[in-house]
Amino acid sequence: MNFADRLIEACRQKESVVVVGLDPRLDRLPEAIVTAAREACGETLECAAASFFKFGCRVIDAVAEFAVAVKPQVAFYEMLGPAGMQAYLETIRYARDKRLLVIADLKRGDIGTTAEAYADGWLGTLTIGARKFHPWQADAVTVQPYLGSDAVLPFIGRARTHGGGVFVLVKTSNPSSGELQDLKVDGVAISERVAKWLADRAGDLLGDSGYSSLGAVVGATYPDELARLRKVMPRNIILIPGYGAQGGTAAHVAAGFNADGLGAVVNASRSIIFAYHDKKWAGVYGPERWMDAVREAARAMRDELNGVRK
Amino acid sequence: MNFADRLIEACRQKESVVVVGLDPRLDRLPEAIVTAAREACGETLECAAASFFKFGCRVIDAVAEFAVAVKPQVAFYEMLGPAGMQAYLETIRYARDKRLLVIADLKRGDIGTTAEAYADGWLGTLTIGARKFHPWQADAVTVQPYLGSDAVLPFIGRARTHGGGVFVLVKTSNPSSGELQDLKVDGVAISERVAKWLADRAGDLLGDSGYSSLGAVVGATYPDELARLRKVMPRNIILIPGYGAQGGTAAHVAAGFNADGLGAVVNASRSIIFAYHDKKWAGVYGPERWMDAVREAARAMRDELNGVRK
């Protein structure tokens, strides 16, 4: 089934547009998880990876009711070497078991034949002899546009075959995103040119919902661009990161939704998964009830967003 | 020791500017390696990964005399899941043991805090309790510029601390690279703007050789751009992919070198590692002597390039 349709369906059923970013960091995990992993396997990369997996599972348990998807950031797992990648894979599987969609935040981008390898591995299948494998089995991935269409088309191809989604970076949430993305060519910003390309190709992955699985990443931290880019890409699903810790608010992302209150999902990472470090929640729940802090932060985010999208 | 200095030193000692790209593909590996791996562990991702590792080691053995570095393309290993990443790590270690520099072709790029995680994992170190780890230990990595300086500076920071190198994509070798990279802003192409940024920051990682470990990727398939970008970035090491199978020739890359015959290294992947599929070499060496074909292809590439750089 088409990824956009699955995502829109989840938004309707859960009355939510929340995506929770899984960005684990050793120095911010709940003490109980770190200690348990260390006692089991010592100060090793494998031990750290085990604690990332355990943490991810508990966060998924806590937010599953309020989030439509999780967005595990591969950098934090990759940092731990192959053991981290094993934890990443298991985290994807756990989230899918809990009926959450998984947007693998990879930001990969390479020349055509290499992009095919990425697309096969993350969205597609791999044949070895008589057997077929789904190596990573993400529902969707994020992709870089700097190399042009060669780098994106293989992902679109695999997404079409396997019901996957592709979010291409358009306007990212970081402070320096404008250095390249805001440059204007004939009066049109680079980000808008990428957006127009995505709008032109939306039909390649259009679902029955009227939305396309060929999505775009536009940061919550640039509300004016978000409003403009929403109009440029009416049918592409927009993934909006930068909510919470990076400074994005519900008011900032309001213009990301269409008149139907849909068409975008909003990601927060640190402000949800580390909610127990936040005074707002730490005062209510002690360290033992860290999962309740995560749950309530996700619920609050859902409610805040529902307040601006209808 | 500074990465650029180590690379220039290797170029001088070996009288070579050859980089061999490790882009393994199951359907092109020597039959003997595929069969042996399959007999040992069956039709599995782990078995495929084991054959990639074995193949990489034999290629490294064959080219070590003629190449200054290898550039393993992570996409092909990542495609096999965590087992592939384990093979990637072991391939890096094997190459370093053979005194080859390792340019991890990752093309990663993300917002600041996430880029730090990538940089720590690939070039730097990670502290867990009282222990310190070098999770991947590449000598250098490739990086995307679309997110601006936030995405690059953490790599420069770790490269400075650990003697690493950073190659930022400037003008890539693929057919569609111009869609974004050739766009002109006030008469200057995007690729040239990225190049100017790299030239301005070359001093951050300058070595005693006069070259900077802050490098650039410029494809052999665009010789005019290569000539222009060489002048824009006189001190940045240029990594030139696209030689061989993608169509780049010695004549195409000639303008990538400075007057000292240095300042650039040239990567070929398929034309070297799969040389035994090429009529030119297959006729001379039978299937059993596939490593000789690889060796001679690397030697020929070294000689062709030496012919144009002096």
Side-chain angles (χ1 to χ4, degrees), chain B residues 15-308:
Chain B
E15 294 187 63
S16 172
V17 290
V18 170
V19 176
V20 173
L22 302 178
D23 295 21
R25 289 147 186 268
L26 276 182
D27 59 356
R28 307 208 72 200
L29 296 196
E31 192 53 37
I33 285 182
V34 174
T35 308
R38 197 163 291 168
E39 281 171 3
C41 49
E43 291 172 344
T44 61
L45 293 171
E46 289 71 22
C47 165
S51 67
F52 278 15
F53 172 62
K54 180 75 71 68
F55 175 66
C57 292
R58 295 295 80 76
V59 169
I60 288 164
D61 292 341
V63 306
E65 187 183 347
F66 309 112
V68 293
V70 288
K71 181 177 74 63
Q73 168 52 264
V74 72
F76 296 104
Y77 298 83
E78 196 172 296
M79 181 173 55
L80 302 179
M85 296 306 284
Q86 181 67 38
Y88 192 77
L89 174 62
E90 289 170 12
T91 304
I92 290 176
R93 287 180 176 159
Y94 189 85
R96 289 174 60 103
D97 282 349
K98 297 289 167 181
R99 305 268 170 193
L100 284 168
L101 293 167
V102 177
I103 303 168
D105 198 356
L106 310 174
K107 299 189 178 71
R108 303 305 193 234
D110 215 300
I111 66 169
T113 49
T114 306
E116 279 175 21
Y118 278 128
D120 283 337
W122 288 98
L123 294 179
T125 58
L126 187 72
T127 301
I128 301 179
R131 299 183 60 192
K132 205 172 254 189
F133 296 87
H134 297 267
W136 295 101
Q137 216 169 357
D139 293 294
V141 296
T142 57
V143 173
Q144 302 262 358
Y146 190 73
L147 286 88
S149 50
D150 293 352
V152 180
L153 292 173
F155 287 96
I156 295 178
R158 298 313 180 280
R160 194 188 294 115
T161 319
H162 297 277
V166 185
F167 291 96
V168 178
L169 303 187
V170 172
K171 172 66 183 171
T172 56
S173 61
N174 57 316
S176 75
S177 71
E179 290 173 10
L180 197 153
Q181 298 161 28
D182 292 357
L183 294 175
K184 290 195 173 177
V185 180
D186 301 332
V188 180
I190 294 289
S191 58
E192 193 166 334
R193 290 185 71 109
V194 177
K196 281 182 174 157
W197 187 88
L198 294 175
D200 287 345
R201 299 209 72 113
D204 289 8
L205 297 175
L206 203 65
D208 295 334
S209 59
Y211 283 105
S212 174
S213 305
L214 179 58
V217 175
V218 181
T221 43
Y222 298 101
D224 294 344
E225 281 83 350
L226 178 60
R228 192 174 65 248
L229 294 166
R230 170 77 287 171
K231 292 193 184 75
V232 173
M233 305 178 282
R235 298 185 300 173
N236 304 75
I237 302 271
I238 302 182
L239 169 63
I240 309 177
Y243 191 89
Q246 290 184 54
T249 66
H252 288 145
V253 304
F257 301 100
N258 283 322
D260 59 3
L262 295 166
V265 288
V266 181
N267 181 80
S269 302
R270 286 168 275 171
S271 61
I272 305 292
I273 68 172
F274 302 134
Y276 47 94
H277 288 306
D278 186 323
K279 268 181 291 187
K280 182 177 172 188
W281 305 110
V284 185
Y285 309 101
E288 311 79 41
R289 294 186 61 194
W290 69 270
M291 278 179 65
D292 289 319
V294 171
R295 179 180 291 113
E296 292 311 310
R299 186 205 300 272
M301 179 178 167
R302 178 200 61 178
D303 295 344
E304 286 157 20
L305 291 172
N306 284 347
V308 299

